[in-house]
Amino acid sequence: MHPAVLSRLSSKGMAIRAANWSESAHRFLKRCADAGSLDACYFLGMICFYCLEKKGIGATLMAKAGIGSHAEALYSLAVIQFNGSGGTKSDKDLRAGVALCARAAFHGHVDALRELGHCLQDGYGVKQNVTEGRRFLVQANARELAGVFSASQKEATAATAAAASLMKLQAGSGMAGFSACSLLSDFGCNVPMPEVHPANRFMVEWFAAKGGPTGGGIGVADGLDGLRMCSHGGCGRPETRRHEFRRCSVCGVVNYCSRACQALHWKVAHKLECAPMERWLDEGVGGDPAAAAGNGVPAARGDRAGNVN
């Protein structure tokens, strides 16, 4: 195939499923990336970084996409900076994470805008400005609402089907599922789930098939090497070291790679099941309560999960 064609292939055109991953699929994505496809750089970068444990190559590919103003890549790089993924806790760079979030939000990434709002509210990596943070959170909801209304009915149906497929995978791997109602419930709306990006879907399927990290939950044990996946079902990011992700400060049994994922999961699922850890200890539920109780920083960066937007 001609490089000019490969460079213009859409993300859906290269949406390889985890079950179909092979050396030939790897070579195909690499050819697309070498031809200049930012979507291929991002997709292959995420696979290399999180699934194939080739973090240097993955970060380089995502950075290449980010330089080309690929919003998804910019946001993923921000999450890596916030968590110090692939390194130690001391490798976190909060200011770099905020800067990358701002660039991704400028290019229309709703989750990045939501993350930026929470950072401003909490003074996390940036000078605290509660009013401006709230304004960004409202803008994130408004953009989400506009995106849903502009989507065709066919696209909305496809997104709901993809979400249902992921819920089945998560149920089998111990991950909490999610409903068809997003943060638009803030506006009194009940709308289909936003479509899951092929890279996130690939990671969910990959780790479900490999028996890798789980998404946490009541009575769910840690995955291989004590690692867990982000509990927001549409994310698929795993920890790269133990206790990398923040746990819910109330129940301590779910964990998130970002405040944006925490806010989404709270609205669609966790608010119905979250309860103080003492309740699970009293009822004898939760696998290893001692381990759950000692897992570091709360998911909400100092705020309880129920207070996010």
Side-chain angles (χ1 to χ4, degrees), residues 82-83 92 124 244-247 254-256 297-299 301:
F82 280 134
N83 294 318
K92 293 181 180 182
Y124 192 77
E244 176 182 338
F245 294 164
R246 297 168 186 82
R247 295 248 173 152
V254 293
N255 35 258
Y256 305 100
V297 242
R301 295 180 193 141

Side-chain angles (χ1 to χ4, degrees), residues 72-127:
E72 290 282 357
L74 289 167
Y75 178 63
S76 292
L77 289 168
V79 172
I80 289 172
Q81 293 292 340
F82 280 134
N83 294 318
S85 300
T88 65
K89 187 175 180 180
S90 61
D91 291 320
K92 293 181 180 182
D93 191 337
L94 306 187
R95 294 182 66 182
V98 170
L100 287 163
C101 262
R103 285 192 61 192
F106 176 78
H107 292 291
H109 198 283
V110 175
D111 284 345
L113 183 60
R114 184 171 288 122
E115 185 79 21
L116 191 59
H118 285 298
C119 287
L120 283 165
Q121 275 196 318
D122 301 341
Y124 192 77
V126 67
K127 185 178 179 180

Side-chain angles (χ1 to χ4, degrees), residues 7-110:
S7 67
R8 289 170 173 78
L9 199 61
S10 69
S11 59
K12 291 183 179 180
M14 61 184 73
I16 299 167
R17 306 299 289 260
N20 299 326
W21 182 252
S22 63
E23 283 299 320
S24 59
H26 192 163
R27 286 194 298 270
F28 171 72
L29 286 178
K30 189 175 186 306
R31 285 185 62 195
C32 292
D34 291 342
S37 169
L38 299 182
D39 284 326
C41 288
Y42 171 65
F43 194 0
L44 184 57
M46 290 286 280
I47 293 172
C48 287
F49 191 92
Y50 289 109
C51 301
L52 304 182
E53 298 186 4
K54 298 179 179 178
K55 294 180 172 53
I57 296 174
T60 299
L61 285 166
M62 284 189 275
K64 181 179 177 180
I67 291 171
S69 300
H70 190 280
E72 290 282 357
L74 289 167
Y75 178 63
S76 292
L77 289 168
V79 172
I80 289 172
Q81 293 292 340
F82 280 134
N83 294 318
S85 300
T88 65
K89 187 175 180 180
S90 61
D91 291 320
K92 293 181 180 182
D93 191 337
L94 306 187
R95 294 182 66 182
V98 170
L100 287 163
C101 262
R103 285 192 61 192
F106 176 78
H107 292 291
H109 198 283
V110 175

Side-chain angles (χ1 to χ4, degrees), residues 78-293:
V79 172
I80 289 172
Q81 293 292 340
F82 280 134
N83 294 318
S85 300
T88 65
K89 187 175 180 180
S90 61
D91 291 320
K92 293 181 180 182
D93 191 337
L94 306 187
R95 294 182 66 182
V98 170
L100 287 163
C101 262
R103 285 192 61 192
F106 176 78
H107 292 291
H109 198 283
V110 175
D111 284 345
L113 183 60
R114 184 171 288 122
E115 185 79 21
L116 191 59
H118 285 298
C119 287
L120 283 165
Q121 275 196 318
D122 301 341
Y124 192 77
V126 67
K127 185 178 179 180
Q128 187 174 29
N129 188 329
V130 176
T131 301
E132 193 71 3
R134 291 291 298 177
R135 185 173 72 85
F136 282 177
L137 291 174
V138 170
Q139 284 184 5
N141 278 283
R143 285 191 187 182
E144 189 179 38
L145 182 64
V148 169
F149 286 144
S150 64
S152 66
Q153 185 62 39
K154 182 178 179 180
E155 290 172 331
T157 303
T160 304
S165 176
L166 278 176
M167 287 177 70
K168 292 180 181 178
L169 276 173
Q170 292 147 11
S173 62
M175 294 180 64
F178 49 94
S179 69
C181 181
S182 70
L183 282 184
L184 292 171
S185 59
D186 291 344
F187 295 96
C189 300
N190 188 352
V191 298
M193 278 289 299
E195 188 171 2
V196 177
H197 191 280
N200 299 96
R201 183 182 63 190
F202 182 98
M203 292 192 297
V204 171
E205 294 174 346
W206 177 274
F207 290 109
K210 300 291 183 182
T214 68
I218 306 302
V220 177
D222 288 356
L224 299 177
D225 301 322
L227 303 178
R228 292 197 175 199
M229 292 180 70
C230 177
S231 294
H232 173 47
C235 175
R237 289 181 178 85
E239 292 181 318
T240 60
R241 66 177 185 278
R242 295 194 67 183
H243 313 321
E244 176 182 338
F245 294 164
R246 297 168 186 82
R247 295 248 173 152
C248 173
S249 58
V250 177
C251 67
V253 296
V254 293
N255 35 258
Y256 305 100
C257 68
S258 63
R259 280 297 300 267
C261 279
Q262 184 201 13
L264 285 164
H265 190 236
W266 172 258
K267 286 290 184 182
V268 302
H270 192 51
K271 67 179 178 181
L272 301 176
E273 60 190 18
C274 185
M277 192 179 302
E278 290 77 9
R279 171 182 166 185
W280 308 120
L281 295 176
D282 291 342
E283 294 181 0
V285 180
D288 184 359

